[in-house]
Amino acid sequence: MKKLWAAAGVVLWLAVTGVGALAQDATYRKDVKPVFDAKCAGCHGAASPYFGDFQADPKKFAAAMKGPRMDSYADMIFFVGWPDTGALMRRLDDGKSAGGKPGNMNQFLGSTDEERQKNLAVFKAWVGPDGWTMKRWEARGSVPGISRDELDRIRVKY
C-alpha cells in the first residue's frame, strides 16, 4: 500500500511541476530563459563579455564576478554544442553525470536542493535527456571528444 501511495505522489508531483511535459517540449524562450534570468543573468547577462573576450582574460572577468555572456539563445548554445561543447552541462550538472562532483555553477541554480534539481531539470529537458553530456569538442585526457552521433542527440529548441 505504501508503494502505491509513493507512486501516486510521484505522479502528482510530475503533474503539478510539469516536469513530465517539460521533457517533451522544453524551449529556450518558454523554459530556459526565465530560469536564466532569475539565477544566471547577474554574472552571465548583457554586462558580461562575449566568449572570445572572456577567453582572452578570464581572471580579470572572474574577479569582477562576470562569466561569459549567455543572455541570448545564440550565446548560450556556444556552451552546449560548439565551440565550448558541453560546458553548460559540465558546470550545471549535479554530479550524477560527472562522477559525483557537481559542476561549479550548480550551486547557483537555487537556494535549496529541491530548487536546484527543479531548475537543473529545465536545462536537461531543453538539451534533451540523450544530449546531456560532459564531453568537449575535442578529447581531453581520458575523456573522448563528442561524436557526431552524440551531437545529433542535443535538442535545444528556441
Side-chain angles (χ1 to χ4, degrees), residues 31-54:
D31 303 299
V32 172
K33 184 75 167 133
V35 174
F36 175 87
D37 287 346
K39 300 296 179 185
C40 313
C43 296
H44 296 281
S48 296
Y50 285 108
F51 181 62
D53 294 329
F54 179 83

Side-chain angles (χ1 to χ4, degrees), residues 67-112:
R69 186 174 180 169
M70 295 184 193
D71 68 326
S72 73
Y73 174 81
D75 291 328
M76 191 173 289
I77 61 173
F78 265 51
F79 305 96
V80 174
W82 186 85
D84 201 3
T85 309
L88 182 97
M89 292 82 104
R90 287 189 301 277
R91 296 188 182 279
L92 293 182
D93 197 73
D94 58 4
K96 294 177 182 163
S97 302
K101 183 179 177 190
N104 64 331
M105 295 292 126
N106 179 270
Q107 63 184 319
F108 300 108
L109 285 175
S111 57
T112 66

Side-chain angles (χ1 to χ4, degrees), residues 84-138:
D84 201 3
T85 309
L88 182 97
M89 292 82 104
R90 287 189 301 277
R91 296 188 182 279
L92 293 182
D93 197 73
D94 58 4
K96 294 177 182 163
S97 302
K101 183 179 177 190
N104 64 331
M105 295 292 126
N106 179 270
Q107 63 184 319
F108 300 108
L109 285 175
S111 57
T112 66
D113 188 51
E114 183 179 334
E115 183 183 14
R116 284 188 293 277
Q117 288 299 318
K118 179 183 172 199
N119 290 332
L120 178 60
V122 170
F123 281 96
K124 282 186 169 186
W126 178 60
V127 171
D130 296 329
W132 194 261
T133 181
M134 304 300 116
K135 293 183 179 178
R136 292 174 164 85
W137 187 253
E138 294 180 351

